[in-house]
Amino acid sequence: MSADYTADEMMSVAAARALGDGMSCFVGIGLPSKAANLARRAHAPNLTLIYESGCLGAKPSRLPLSIGDGELADTADAVISVPEVFNYWLQPGRIDVGFLGAAQLDKFGNINTTVIGSDYHDPKVRLPGAGGAPEIAASCGEVFIVLRQNPRAFVEKVDFVTSFGHGTGKGDREELGLPGRGPTLVVTDLGLLRPDPETAELTLTELHPGVELDRVVAATGWKLKVADDLKITPAPTEQELTVLRDLEKASA
């Protein structure tokens, strides 16, 4: 990894690039929010950011601390009720992309943000929970997931399915009648993963600059599949880094 940028900056830039101008994006707090706000500032000025609190078209000048941050309401095109966000915008399929984080992610893109451990009633760790993520994962046109890659987060099977990805493989979403395509991209600090067209198993398709394949394999809790045409992610541009750093500075 070049000394000119960090692994987290590479991850944020790669995630932001996945969002195109004119898209509508349901944004989670944390890394997803950073990537979405970077995209809007860097290359997608017409990206519509939608937050669970009911803020449509938010244009925050800094990274929001939570979905209830007043900065989102102050800069939004409209503020509507939470039920309206879900009943009118999300569930009918009016949102292009859901951008989510995770505590655990398995090889079929299922997300756990509920508990760590096999006993739900007496877990090792109780996590923040679902929020609107299950509906986002079910109903958005597609889902992008962003998180740092390590064996504790990338597991063979999640301890609890909070948000449904591809279940146990291709066809499970259709069998359940879920309208969205589910996870189509996972962005980490090491590379990019996409579901295999035949099996829906997450497959490494891009390595970030300076990252060795063995490192990604070691950071994954299952036998990682690697694309035959494995690519190298383009490094962040000076403009992307400037915009990202200005955004982070405004949020300090």
Side-chain angles (χ1 to χ4, degrees):
M1 181 69 67
S2 166
D4 293 334
Y5 55 90
T6 67
D8 274 7
E9 286 176 331
M10 178 73 256
M11 175 171 57
S12 297
V13 168
R17 288 171 178 166
L19 295 169
D21 200 26
M23 281 184 171
S24 55
C25 179
F26 206 123
V27 190
I29 293 299
L31 291 172
S33 185
K34 180 185 291 189
N37 280 283
L38 171 59
R40 192 183 64 79
R41 288 170 175 235
H43 66 267
N46 298 305
L47 175 67
T48 300
L49 304 185
I50 300 170
Y51 287 83
E52 187 178 336
S53 52
C55 299
L56 307 181
K59 305 170 186 66
S61 60
R62 55 171 174 77
L63 295 174
L65 300 176
S66 72
I67 60 170
D69 194 320
E71 177 75 2
L72 295 176
D74 288 345
T75 61
D77 294 331
V79 179
I80 61 177
S81 69
V82 172
E84 190 175 356
V85 172
F86 285 88
N87 295 338
Y88 183 78
W89 290 96
L90 182 58
Q91 291 169 349
R94 291 187 167 96
I95 300 176
D96 298 320
V97 178
F99 220 140
L100 296 174
Q104 284 185 332
L105 181 75
D106 69 21
K107 63 182 179 180
F108 292 112
N110 301 301
I111 290 173
N112 175 22
T113 55
T114 302
V115 294
I116 301 297
S118 58
D119 187 345
Y120 175 84
H121 298 287
D122 186 24
K124 295 178 181 177
V125 179
R126 189 167 296 282
L127 300 166
E135 289 286 352
I136 295 168
S139 301
C140 283
E142 58 185 320
V143 174
F144 299 158
I145 301 166
V146 56
L147 74 163
R148 298 176 184 91
Q149 192 161 354
N150 59 69
R152 289 188 300 175
F154 281 66
V155 296
E156 178 82 22
K157 183 178 180 181
V158 292
D159 293 338
F160 186 94
V161 179
T162 307
S163 303
F164 196 86
H166 296 287
T168 60
K170 186 176 181 181
D172 280 9
R173 292 184 64 86
E174 290 78 6
E175 186 174 338
L176 290 173
L178 301 180
R181 293 165 57 197
T184 59
L185 176 67
V186 177
V187 181
T188 84
D189 51 339
L190 303 180
L192 305 182
L193 299 91
R194 295 177 173 88
D196 181 273
E198 300 301 322
T199 66
E201 182 174 336
L202 291 176
T203 301
L204 183 69
T205 59
E206 293 185 35
L207 279 173
H208 294 331
V211 176
E212 298 294 332
L213 178 58
D214 288 349
R215 182 182 171 194
V216 187
V217 172
T220 308
W222 67 84
K223 187 176 180 180
L224 181 65
K225 289 188 175 182
V226 180
D228 294 335
D229 59 341
L230 182 64
K231 297 178 174 61
I232 302 298
T233 311
T237 66
E238 183 177 343
Q239 185 252 358
E240 287 171 327
L241 289 173
T242 297
V243 173
L244 174 58
R245 290 166 182 172
D246 286 348
L247 179 62
E248 291 176 327
K249 188 182 299 183
S251 307

